[in-house]
Amino acid sequence: MAVSKRGAEAKSDPVHFNARIEGIDYDVLDDLVGYAVRRAQLSIYEDFAATLAAEDITPQRFSSLVIIENNPGISQTKLAEVMGIARSGVVSIIDRFEKGGLVERHASDDRRSYSLHLTRDGKRQLKRYKKTVLDHDHRIAQALSGAEKKLLRDLLKKLCPLPGA
Amino acid sequence: MAVSKRGAEAKSDPVHFNARIEGIDYDVLDDLVGYAVRRAQLSIYEDFAATLAAEDITPQRFSSLVIIENNPGISQTKLAEVMGIARSGVVSIIDRFEKGGLVERHASDDRRSYSLHLTRDGKRQLKRYKKTVLDHDHRIAQALSGAEKKLLRDLLKKLCPLPGA
DNA sequence: TATTGTTATACTCTATAACTATA
DNA sequence: TATAGTTATAGAGTATAACAATA
């Protein structure tokens, strides 16, 4: 069944998500919008991870960089709100970026908070990441036409509660 | 800004994901199919968790129960394959179900493996969970017509690589 | 009093690798 | 030799709560 390993050591099977396994009855899962989204998300995440395995980046970190680039001077608390994570989580993300020389914490008017900015190197790197992520995004959606992609994005948007709702 | 707490202790802000924050420029994230899916997934997960907070269930565990119910006698390794997680992860999931009296490990022909089955109580509980999950699923997709939901599911399906691809 | 960033801590999820018993 | 289940362990990720500096 499985391909033989070269050495004598028995290793664990590589973990991989298959949205549909032959012969399995998924019952109600096939009718749930939520499960369809989850299923797609797992597939997409796997391709993202494989595509950017060499880089020290994740969907989370990529999003953070994009948000900082396009909202320069944003505070850590605001970034936490945008990402939907705790403030303490942003600390480690920014620490990592700062160590990597991608992001800088600048002083701001309110001396309690930092003003986040991409460094020149951060901008350069993000440009590269963007190219790779766009490639990845085109690949995972290659079965869809441009119109279908737009339609899909619009339908998905309707699943997210509006700010005032 | 924030609502005052009653006591004197300063607590952390509750973490919550808002798909779109006023005044934030999401740049390329708005064009990515992958980010649209992720965004929806976070919103949906939050509603799922809130809806089933009282029950000891997660999307992962719910899916496992459904798969076991509709594929009685399935092995742990097969279940791991279906869920896209490591075999070791299934052990703890089934341990928990077994402790809760929802699932039983039966002996199978191949004495290395177990044959998983829902108990009577497991079936009863799952019936309840299904009702709640369906409510939740209708709620998160309430902005979509039946036809739109079907369309969305079909489009999402196209994002998942086919078994042979 | 409230807020920002920070730290300490804990909990969940998950993967990897090694072990055992079977095949 | 290979596979099923198990265990031990480690690494992410994330939340909560408390603290110092500042508002």
PDB file of all heavy atoms in Angstrom, chain C residues 9-20:
ATOM      1  P    DT C   9       5.331  31.817  35.346  1.00  0.00           P
ATOM      2  OP1  DT C   9       5.444  31.608  36.804  1.00  0.00           O
ATOM      3  OP2  DT C   9       6.407  31.374  34.426  1.00  0.00           O
ATOM      4  O5'  DT C   9       3.967  31.162  34.879  1.00  0.00           O
ATOM      5  C5'  DT C   9       2.732  31.722  35.328  1.00  0.00           C
ATOM      6  C4'  DT C   9       1.586  31.080  34.571  1.00  0.00           C
ATOM      7  O4'  DT C   9       1.422  31.732  33.289  1.00  0.00           O
ATOM      8  C3'  DT C   9       1.778  29.588  34.280  1.00  0.00           C
ATOM      9  O3'  DT C   9       0.783  28.857  34.970  1.00  0.00           O
ATOM     10  C2'  DT C   9       1.643  29.478  32.766  1.00  0.00           C
ATOM     11  C1'  DT C   9       0.928  30.767  32.395  1.00  0.00           C
ATOM     12  N1   DT C   9       1.197  31.249  31.012  1.00  0.00           N
ATOM     13  C2   DT C   9       0.120  31.568  30.208  1.00  0.00           C
ATOM     14  O2   DT C   9      -1.029  31.474  30.585  1.00  0.00           O
ATOM     15  N3   DT C   9       0.435  32.000  28.936  1.00  0.00           N
ATOM     16  C4   DT C   9       1.714  32.140  28.416  1.00  0.00           C
ATOM     17  O4   DT C   9       1.864  32.536  27.280  1.00  0.00           O
ATOM     18  C5   DT C   9       2.786  31.787  29.305  1.00  0.00           C
ATOM     19  C7   DT C   9       4.208  31.903  28.831  1.00  0.00           C
ATOM     20  C6   DT C   9       2.481  31.365  30.545  1.00  0.00           C
ATOM     21  P    DA C  10       0.782  27.250  34.980  1.00  0.00           P
ATOM     22  OP1  DA C  10       0.550  26.823  36.377  1.00  0.00           O
ATOM     23  OP2  DA C  10       1.965  26.764  34.233  1.00  0.00           O
ATOM     24  O5'  DA C  10      -0.519  26.935  34.123  1.00  0.00           O
ATOM     25  C5'  DA C  10      -1.580  27.889  34.082  1.00  0.00           C
ATOM     26  C4'  DA C  10      -2.506  27.536  32.934  1.00  0.00           C
ATOM     27  O4'  DA C  10      -2.064  28.209  31.731  1.00  0.00           O
ATOM     28  C3'  DA C  10      -2.533  26.044  32.610  1.00  0.00           C
ATOM     29  O3'  DA C  10      -3.866  25.663  32.347  1.00  0.00           O
ATOM     30  C2'  DA C  10      -1.679  25.946  31.348  1.00  0.00           C
ATOM     31  C1'  DA C  10      -1.974  27.272  30.686  1.00  0.00           C
ATOM     32  N9   DA C  10      -0.941  27.728  29.751  1.00  0.00           N
ATOM     33  C8   DA C  10       0.419  27.667  29.934  1.00  0.00           C
ATOM     34  N7   DA C  10       1.105  28.156  28.922  1.00  0.00           N
ATOM     35  C5   DA C  10       0.132  28.570  28.020  1.00  0.00           C
ATOM     36  C6   DA C  10       0.206  29.172  26.757  1.00  0.00           C
ATOM     37  N6   DA C  10       1.359  29.479  26.156  1.00  0.00           N
ATOM     38  N1   DA C  10      -0.950  29.448  26.122  1.00  0.00           N
ATOM     39  C2   DA C  10      -2.097  29.142  26.729  1.00  0.00           C
ATOM     40  N3   DA C  10      -2.292  28.575  27.919  1.00  0.00           N
ATOM     41  C4   DA C  10      -1.124  28.319  28.521  1.00  0.00           C
ATOM     42  P    DC C  11      -4.335  24.141  32.416  1.00  0.00           P
ATOM     43  OP1  DC C  11      -4.966  23.909  33.727  1.00  0.00           O
ATOM     44  OP2  DC C  11      -3.163  23.325  31.987  1.00  0.00           O
ATOM     45  O5'  DC C  11      -5.435  24.050  31.275  1.00  0.00           O
ATOM     46  C5'  DC C  11      -5.957  25.240  30.704  1.00  0.00           C
ATOM     47  C4'  DC C  11      -6.074  25.099  29.199  1.00  0.00           C
ATOM     48  O4'  DC C  11      -4.909  25.666  28.547  1.00  0.00           O
ATOM     49  C3'  DC C  11      -6.158  23.646  28.713  1.00  0.00           C
ATOM     50  O3'  DC C  11      -7.320  23.509  27.928  1.00  0.00           O
ATOM     51  C2'  DC C  11      -4.891  23.447  27.906  1.00  0.00           C
ATOM     52  C1'  DC C  11      -4.580  24.865  27.435  1.00  0.00           C
ATOM     53  N1   DC C  11      -3.146  25.113  27.080  1.00  0.00           N
ATOM     54  C2   DC C  11      -2.838  25.763  25.883  1.00  0.00           C
ATOM     55  O2   DC C  11      -3.759  26.125  25.141  1.00  0.00           O
ATOM     56  N3   DC C  11      -1.549  25.996  25.556  1.00  0.00           N
ATOM     57  C4   DC C  11      -0.570  25.600  26.380  1.00  0.00           C
ATOM     58  N4   DC C  11       0.680  25.857  26.021  1.00  0.00           N
ATOM     59  C5   DC C  11      -0.857  24.930  27.608  1.00  0.00           C
ATOM     60  C6   DC C  11      -2.148  24.710  27.922  1.00  0.00           C
ATOM     61  P    DT C  12      -7.875  22.047  27.596  1.00  0.00           P
ATOM     62  OP1  DT C  12      -9.311  22.011  27.975  1.00  0.00           O
ATOM     63  OP2  DT C  12      -6.936  21.021  28.108  1.00  0.00           O
ATOM     64  O5'  DT C  12      -7.786  22.082  26.015  1.00  0.00           O
ATOM     65  C5'  DT C  12      -8.268  23.229  25.317  1.00  0.00           C
ATOM     66  C4'  DT C  12      -7.677  23.246  23.931  1.00  0.00           C
ATOM     67  O4'  DT C  12      -6.274  23.574  23.988  1.00  0.00           O
ATOM     68  C3'  DT C  12      -7.762  21.911  23.182  1.00  0.00           C
ATOM     69  O3'  DT C  12      -8.558  22.103  22.026  1.00  0.00           O
ATOM     70  C2'  DT C  12      -6.317  21.559  22.855  1.00  0.00           C
ATOM     71  C1'  DT C  12      -5.618  22.907  22.949  1.00  0.00           C
ATOM     72  N1   DT C  12      -4.177  22.878  23.291  1.00  0.00           N
ATOM     73  C2   DT C  12      -3.266  23.445  22.431  1.00  0.00           C
ATOM     74  O2   DT C  12      -3.578  23.955  21.363  1.00  0.00           O
ATOM     75  N3   DT C  12      -1.952  23.391  22.841  1.00  0.00           N
ATOM     76  C4   DT C  12      -1.478  22.829  24.013  1.00  0.00           C
ATOM     77  O4   DT C  12      -0.286  22.841  24.270  1.00  0.00           O
ATOM     78  C5   DT C  12      -2.478  22.247  24.877  1.00  0.00           C
ATOM     79  C7   DT C  12      -2.072  21.606  26.163  1.00  0.00           C
ATOM     80  C6   DT C  12      -3.776  22.301  24.487  1.00  0.00           C
ATOM     81  P    DC C  13      -9.059  20.856  21.164  1.00  0.00           P
ATOM     82  OP1  DC C  13     -10.357  21.202  20.559  1.00  0.00           O
ATOM     83  OP2  DC C  13      -8.911  19.644  21.991  1.00  0.00           O
ATOM     84  O5'  DC C  13      -7.972  20.821  20.007  1.00  0.00           O
ATOM     85  C5'  DC C  13      -7.669  22.021  19.314  1.00  0.00           C
ATOM     86  C4'  DC C  13      -6.415  21.805  18.493  1.00  0.00           C
ATOM     87  O4'  DC C  13      -5.264  21.855  19.351  1.00  0.00           O
ATOM     88  C3'  DC C  13      -6.365  20.442  17.797  1.00  0.00           C
ATOM     89  O3'  DC C  13      -6.376  20.666  16.394  1.00  0.00           O
ATOM     90  C2'  DC C  13      -5.066  19.799  18.295  1.00  0.00           C
ATOM     91  C1'  DC C  13      -4.287  21.004  18.804  1.00  0.00           C
ATOM     92  N1   DC C  13      -3.282  20.715  19.867  1.00  0.00           N
ATOM     93  C2   DC C  13      -1.954  21.108  19.666  1.00  0.00           C
ATOM     94  O2   DC C  13      -1.646  21.675  18.602  1.00  0.00           O
ATOM     95  N3   DC C  13      -1.041  20.859  20.624  1.00  0.00           N
ATOM     96  C4   DC C  13      -1.408  20.250  21.755  1.00  0.00           C
ATOM     97  N4   DC C  13      -0.473  20.038  22.680  1.00  0.00           N
ATOM     98  C5   DC C  13      -2.750  19.843  21.986  1.00  0.00           C
ATOM     99  C6   DC C  13      -3.659  20.096  21.020  1.00  0.00           C
ATOM    100  P    DT C  14      -6.550  19.461  15.358  1.00  0.00           P
ATOM    101  OP1  DT C  14      -7.128  20.001  14.125  1.00  0.00           O
ATOM    102  OP2  DT C  14      -7.193  18.342  16.065  1.00  0.00           O
ATOM    103  O5'  DT C  14      -5.046  19.068  15.054  1.00  0.00           O
ATOM    104  C5'  DT C  14      -4.130  20.078  14.663  1.00  0.00           C
ATOM    105  C4'  DT C  14      -2.735  19.553  14.775  1.00  0.00           C
ATOM    106  O4'  DT C  14      -2.322  19.505  16.149  1.00  0.00           O
ATOM    107  C3'  DT C  14      -2.554  18.128  14.284  1.00  0.00           C
ATOM    108  O3'  DT C  14      -2.084  18.168  12.952  1.00  0.00           O
ATOM    109  C2'  DT C  14      -1.523  17.514  15.238  1.00  0.00           C
ATOM    110  C1'  DT C  14      -1.243  18.633  16.223  1.00  0.00           C
ATOM    111  N1   DT C  14      -1.105  18.182  17.629  1.00  0.00           N
ATOM    112  C2   DT C  14       0.123  18.304  18.236  1.00  0.00           C
ATOM    113  O2   DT C  14       1.097  18.759  17.662  1.00  0.00           O
ATOM    114  N3   DT C  14       0.171  17.870  19.534  1.00  0.00           N
ATOM    115  C4   DT C  14      -0.875  17.335  20.270  1.00  0.00           C
ATOM    116  O4   DT C  14      -0.715  16.984  21.423  1.00  0.00           O
ATOM    117  C5   DT C  14      -2.129  17.227  19.562  1.00  0.00           C
ATOM    118  C7   DT C  14      -3.326  16.663  20.261  1.00  0.00           C
ATOM    119  C6   DT C  14      -2.187  17.660  18.282  1.00  0.00           C
ATOM    120  P    DA C  15      -1.662  16.838  12.163  1.00  0.00           P
ATOM    121  OP1  DA C  15      -1.937  17.102  10.746  1.00  0.00           O
ATOM    122  OP2  DA C  15      -2.316  15.715  12.844  1.00  0.00           O
ATOM    123  O5'  DA C  15      -0.087  16.705  12.360  1.00  0.00           O
ATOM    124  C5'  DA C  15       0.731  17.842  12.127  1.00  0.00           C
ATOM    125  C4'  DA C  15       2.161  17.529  12.536  1.00  0.00           C
ATOM    126  O4'  DA C  15       2.243  17.486  13.977  1.00  0.00           O
ATOM    127  C3'  DA C  15       2.644  16.185  12.016  1.00  0.00           C
ATOM    128  O3'  DA C  15       3.880  16.342  11.322  1.00  0.00           O
ATOM    129  C2'  DA C  15       2.806  15.311  13.257  1.00  0.00           C
ATOM    130  C1'  DA C  15       2.878  16.307  14.404  1.00  0.00           C
ATOM    131  N9   DA C  15       2.166  15.816  15.583  1.00  0.00           N
ATOM    132  C8   DA C  15       0.847  15.488  15.675  1.00  0.00           C
ATOM    133  N7   DA C  15       0.480  15.067  16.865  1.00  0.00           N
ATOM    134  C5   DA C  15       1.645  15.114  17.598  1.00  0.00           C
ATOM    135  C6   DA C  15       1.926  14.794  18.939  1.00  0.00           C
ATOM    136  N6   DA C  15       1.015  14.338  19.790  1.00  0.00           N
ATOM    137  N1   DA C  15       3.196  14.964  19.352  1.00  0.00           N
ATOM    138  C2   DA C  15       4.116  15.428  18.488  1.00  0.00           C
ATOM    139  N3   DA C  15       3.969  15.758  17.211  1.00  0.00           N
ATOM    140  C4   DA C  15       2.692  15.583  16.825  1.00  0.00           C
ATOM    141  P    DT C  16       4.524  15.112  10.558  1.00  0.00           P
ATOM    142  OP1  DT C  16       5.173  15.687   9.378  1.00  0.00           O
ATOM    143  OP2  DT C  16       3.497  14.068  10.430  1.00  0.00           O
ATOM    144  O5'  DT C  16       5.624  14.540  11.550  1.00  0.00           O
ATOM    145  C5'  DT C  16       6.424  15.438  12.284  1.00  0.00           C
ATOM    146  C4'  DT C  16       7.335  14.669  13.231  1.00  0.00           C
ATOM    147  O4'  DT C  16       6.620  14.411  14.464  1.00  0.00           O
ATOM    148  C3'  DT C  16       7.781  13.304  12.689  1.00  0.00           C
ATOM    149  O3'  DT C  16       9.193  13.259  12.733  1.00  0.00           O
ATOM    150  C2'  DT C  16       7.120  12.280  13.611  1.00  0.00           C
ATOM    151  C1'  DT C  16       6.805  13.076  14.862  1.00  0.00           C
ATOM    152  N1   DT C  16       5.543  12.705  15.564  1.00  0.00           N
ATOM    153  C2   DT C  16       5.588  12.487  16.916  1.00  0.00           C
ATOM    154  O2   DT C  16       6.614  12.557  17.570  1.00  0.00           O
ATOM    155  N3   DT C  16       4.375  12.162  17.493  1.00  0.00           N
ATOM    156  C4   DT C  16       3.155  12.052  16.841  1.00  0.00           C
ATOM    157  O4   DT C  16       2.144  11.758  17.452  1.00  0.00           O
ATOM    158  C5   DT C  16       3.188  12.291  15.420  1.00  0.00           C
ATOM    159  C7   DT C  16       1.923  12.203  14.630  1.00  0.00           C
ATOM    160  C6   DT C  16       4.366  12.611  14.853  1.00  0.00           C
ATOM    161  P    DA C  17      10.005  12.039  12.057  1.00  0.00           P
ATOM    162  OP1  DA C  17      11.306  12.561  11.633  1.00  0.00           O
ATOM    163  OP2  DA C  17       9.128  11.339  11.096  1.00  0.00           O
ATOM    164  O5'  DA C  17      10.234  11.068  13.301  1.00  0.00           O
ATOM    165  C5'  DA C  17      10.765  11.618  14.503  1.00  0.00           C
ATOM    166  C4'  DA C  17      10.657  10.601  15.620  1.00  0.00           C
ATOM    167  O4'  DA C  17       9.292  10.527  16.078  1.00  0.00           O
ATOM    168  C3'  DA C  17      11.052   9.174  15.211  1.00  0.00           C
ATOM    169  O3'  DA C  17      11.936   8.669  16.201  1.00  0.00           O
ATOM    170  C2'  DA C  17       9.732   8.421  15.182  1.00  0.00           C
ATOM    171  C1'  DA C  17       8.937   9.165  16.250  1.00  0.00           C
ATOM    172  N9   DA C  17       7.493   9.074  16.117  1.00  0.00           N
ATOM    173  C8   DA C  17       6.734   9.163  14.982  1.00  0.00           C
ATOM    174  N7   DA C  17       5.446   9.040  15.190  1.00  0.00           N
ATOM    175  C5   DA C  17       5.343   8.861  16.560  1.00  0.00           C
ATOM    176  C6   DA C  17       4.235   8.669  17.414  1.00  0.00           C
ATOM    177  N6   DA C  17       2.976   8.628  16.988  1.00  0.00           N
ATOM    178  N1   DA C  17       4.488   8.526  18.734  1.00  0.00           N
ATOM    179  C2   DA C  17       5.754   8.568  19.150  1.00  0.00           C
ATOM    180  N3   DA C  17       6.876   8.733  18.442  1.00  0.00           N
ATOM    181  C4   DA C  17       6.586   8.882  17.139  1.00  0.00           C
ATOM    182  P    DA C  18      12.832   7.401  15.871  1.00  0.00           P
ATOM    183  OP1  DA C  18      14.224   7.770  16.197  1.00  0.00           O
ATOM    184  OP2  DA C  18      12.472   6.851  14.542  1.00  0.00           O
ATOM    185  O5'  DA C  18      12.319   6.366  16.986  1.00  0.00           O
ATOM    186  C5'  DA C  18      12.413   6.739  18.354  1.00  0.00           C
ATOM    187  C4'  DA C  18      11.396   5.969  19.164  1.00  0.00           C
ATOM    188  O4'  DA C  18      10.070   6.281  18.685  1.00  0.00           O
ATOM    189  C3'  DA C  18      11.547   4.442  19.050  1.00  0.00           C
ATOM    190  O3'  DA C  18      11.592   3.881  20.354  1.00  0.00           O
ATOM    191  C2'  DA C  18      10.277   4.008  18.307  1.00  0.00           C
ATOM    192  C1'  DA C  18       9.303   5.096  18.702  1.00  0.00           C
ATOM    193  N9   DA C  18       8.184   5.261  17.785  1.00  0.00           N
ATOM    194  C8   DA C  18       8.229   5.486  16.432  1.00  0.00           C
ATOM    195  N7   DA C  18       7.045   5.582  15.867  1.00  0.00           N
ATOM    196  C5   DA C  18       6.160   5.409  16.925  1.00  0.00           C
ATOM    197  C6   DA C  18       4.763   5.394  16.985  1.00  0.00           C
ATOM    198  N6   DA C  18       3.972   5.563  15.930  1.00  0.00           N
ATOM    199  N1   DA C  18       4.194   5.196  18.205  1.00  0.00           N
ATOM    200  C2   DA C  18       4.994   5.028  19.263  1.00  0.00           C
ATOM    201  N3   DA C  18       6.326   5.011  19.324  1.00  0.00           N
ATOM    202  C4   DA C  18       6.848   5.213  18.107  1.00  0.00           C
ATOM    203  P    DC C  19      12.195   2.452  20.534  1.00  0.00           P
ATOM    204  OP1  DC C  19      13.148   2.530  21.640  1.00  0.00           O
ATOM    205  OP2  DC C  19      12.618   1.953  19.200  1.00  0.00           O
ATOM    206  O5'  DC C  19      10.935   1.586  20.996  1.00  0.00           O
ATOM    207  C5'  DC C  19      10.275   1.913  22.223  1.00  0.00           C
ATOM    208  C4'  DC C  19       8.883   1.318  22.225  1.00  0.00           C
ATOM    209  O4'  DC C  19       8.094   1.962  21.205  1.00  0.00           O
ATOM    210  C3'  DC C  19       8.845  -0.169  21.891  1.00  0.00           C
ATOM    211  O3'  DC C  19       8.721  -0.922  23.114  1.00  0.00           O
ATOM    212  C2'  DC C  19       7.609  -0.343  20.997  1.00  0.00           C
ATOM    213  C1'  DC C  19       7.068   1.075  20.830  1.00  0.00           C
ATOM    214  N1   DC C  19       6.648   1.387  19.435  1.00  0.00           N
ATOM    215  C2   DC C  19       5.288   1.442  19.124  1.00  0.00           C
ATOM    216  O2   DC C  19       4.460   1.212  20.011  1.00  0.00           O
ATOM    217  N3   DC C  19       4.900   1.711  17.855  1.00  0.00           N
ATOM    218  C4   DC C  19       5.818   1.942  16.921  1.00  0.00           C
ATOM    219  N4   DC C  19       5.396   2.218  15.690  1.00  0.00           N
ATOM    220  C5   DC C  19       7.218   1.905  17.208  1.00  0.00           C
ATOM    221  C6   DC C  19       7.585   1.617  18.467  1.00  0.00           C
ATOM    222  P    DT C  20       8.141  -2.454  23.039  1.00  0.00           P
ATOM    223  OP1  DT C  20       8.362  -2.998  24.390  1.00  0.00           O
ATOM    224  OP2  DT C  20       8.624  -3.176  21.829  1.00  0.00           O
ATOM    225  O5'  DT C  20       6.584  -2.144  22.858  1.00  0.00           O
ATOM    226  C5'  DT C  20       5.616  -2.674  23.785  1.00  0.00           C
ATOM    227  C4'  DT C  20       4.568  -3.401  22.998  1.00  0.00           C
ATOM    228  O4'  DT C  20       4.239  -2.569  21.871  1.00  0.00           O
ATOM    229  C3'  DT C  20       5.058  -4.712  22.430  1.00  0.00           C
ATOM    230  O3'  DT C  20       4.707  -5.859  23.211  1.00  0.00           O
ATOM    231  C2'  DT C  20       4.451  -4.758  21.023  1.00  0.00           C
ATOM    232  C1'  DT C  20       3.792  -3.401  20.823  1.00  0.00           C
ATOM    233  N1   DT C  20       4.120  -2.754  19.499  1.00  0.00           N
ATOM    234  C2   DT C  20       3.103  -2.334  18.699  1.00  0.00           C
ATOM    235  O2   DT C  20       1.944  -2.436  18.997  1.00  0.00           O
ATOM    236  N3   DT C  20       3.479  -1.777  17.504  1.00  0.00           N
ATOM    237  C4   DT C  20       4.774  -1.610  17.045  1.00  0.00           C
ATOM    238  O4   DT C  20       4.988  -1.099  15.965  1.00  0.00           O
ATOM    239  C5   DT C  20       5.797  -2.084  17.941  1.00  0.00           C
ATOM    240  C7   DT C  20       7.230  -1.961  17.510  1.00  0.00           C
ATOM    241  C6   DT C  20       5.425  -2.630  19.107  1.00  0.00           C
TER     242       DT C  20
END
